Amino acid sequence: MTTGLRERVAGRLVLLVLVVVTLVPFADLLTTALHPPGTYPPGLTWPEDPHWSNFAAAFRTAGIGGALGSSALIALGVVPLTLALAAPAGYALGHLRFTGHRAVFGLFAVGLVLPLEAVVTPLYHQMRDLGLLDTRGGLVAALVAVHLPFAVFWLRAHFAGVPPELSDSARLDGAGPWQAFRRVHLPLARPATSSLAVLLTVWTWNHFLLAIVLVDDPARRTAAGALGAFQGRWGTDVPLLCAGALLLVAPLPVVLALLHRRLPDLRPTGYRGDPRPGSARS
């Protein structure tokens, strides 16, 4: 099906509007951060004398470097561990389809729709009993538990679209279910796992609620949790607060800009190498 000129123009206009809506808050933050410290800037206006030194002052006084390092350590723990648990679970639920797989998937679906606010208190008590409060390990474990239902749902959608002939061929070559998963299905799932890794990184970096409930020390929180402590200290200095906020979120656009060409799609996909339409299982 070809797309007409009118549809292409309309699509690009919608895309342009979305880009503007996305960039305006960042532009407002940037212009506000460049105003003199201690002032109240009047909205989206470029200052006559930009105070670029606000970024250095925010980085030095608020411990931005420590917050960025802590958030990176937490993301390096959450993302690989979630993928390591979700990949075999998604493969078993979407491709092997063992007896009772619908009931197990239903349990993951409950975790997917459960509001985060409903599990904060039980998680707090569990982490306290395990002695993991105010530790990055406890926060990593809690975030893995929170992200795991969506990760399983995402990868199940991928493995459900893989043709069964791939497993049949691997079985004829003498491979068991685990070998077929590790040597055949997991390499083919690289686009889905890469996209999921990016989403998990962004969500972990920006996670706020569990970071401030389970960890008291701002230096051991995620970037968003550290920003909460920064806001409590510098809430009356709006330019300095905006400079700190931009410094804390700056690594994410850089990472996305570096990886966007390696990501084929930010959504779960079926097996695109299948030459026969309709052969994928649902």
Side-chain angles (χ1 to χ4, degrees):
M1 183 177 66
T2 58
T3 304
L5 178 62
R6 182 177 301 177
E7 286 79 5
R8 290 199 300 272
V9 172
R12 290 179 181 180
L13 285 177
V14 172
L15 184 61
L16 179 62
V17 171
L18 292 176
V19 170
V20 171
V21 170
T22 302
L23 292 181
V24 164
F26 288 97
D28 193 12
L29 274 176
L30 177 61
T31 56
T32 302
L34 295 178
H35 280 77
T39 60
Y40 292 91
L44 188 59
T45 56
W46 187 261
E48 296 181 359
D49 182 20
H51 284 63
W52 295 99
S53 59
N54 286 346
F55 289 96
F59 189 90
R60 182 178 60 256
T61 58
I64 298 295
L68 294 176
S70 175
S71 198
L73 287 176
I74 293 171
L76 288 175
V78 171
V79 176
L81 189 55
T82 304
L83 291 177
L85 295 174
Y91 172 69
L93 292 172
H95 194 73
L96 297 182
R97 302 198 169 193
F98 56 89
T99 303
H101 72 279
R102 293 184 184 276
V104 175
F105 182 66
L107 294 176
F108 280 108
V110 171
L112 189 63
V113 300
L114 200 63
L116 180 60
E117 291 77 7
V119 301
V120 168
T121 301
L123 272 177
Y124 176 84
H125 289 292
Q126 289 178 358
M127 292 300 163
R128 183 194 61 188
D129 296 341
L130 293 172
L132 294 176
L133 276 183
D134 203 22
T135 64
R136 291 194 185 97
L139 183 56
V140 167
L143 288 175
V144 169
V146 169
H147 294 329
L148 191 58
F150 177 82
V152 171
F153 179 82
W154 180 282
L155 292 179
R156 175 191 174 275
H158 167 79
F159 287 115
V162 176
E165 288 80 3
L166 281 177
S167 295
D168 296 337
S169 300
R171 194 177 301 112
L172 290 175
D173 290 337
W178 172 249
Q179 288 180 317
F181 166 71
R182 186 166 56 88
R183 296 183 178 180
V184 177
H185 295 284
L186 195 57
L188 292 175
R190 185 177 177 181
T193 54
S194 299
S195 302
L196 180 61
V198 172
L199 292 177
L200 291 174
T201 302
V202 174
W203 292 342
T204 300
W205 196 275
N206 292 328
H207 200 87
F208 178 75
L209 182 58
L210 290 179
I212 63 171
V213 171
L214 300 180
V215 180
D216 290 332
D217 186 359
R220 298 177 183 176
R221 295 175 178 171
T222 60
L227 181 61
F230 183 54
Q231 184 177 6
R233 183 178 179 185
W234 300 99
T236 56
D237 197 326
V238 178
L240 207 59
L241 178 62
C242 292
L246 285 174
L247 289 174
L248 286 172
V249 302
L252 288 180
V254 174
V255 171
L256 291 176
L258 293 175
L259 295 180
H260 80 283
R261 291 188 179 277
R262 295 179 178 272
L263 299 178
D265 211 343
L266 282 176
R267 60 185 170 85
T269 59
Y271 178 64
R272 295 182 176 180
D274 182 13
R276 299 172 305 156
S279 64
R281 294 186 297 177
S282 59

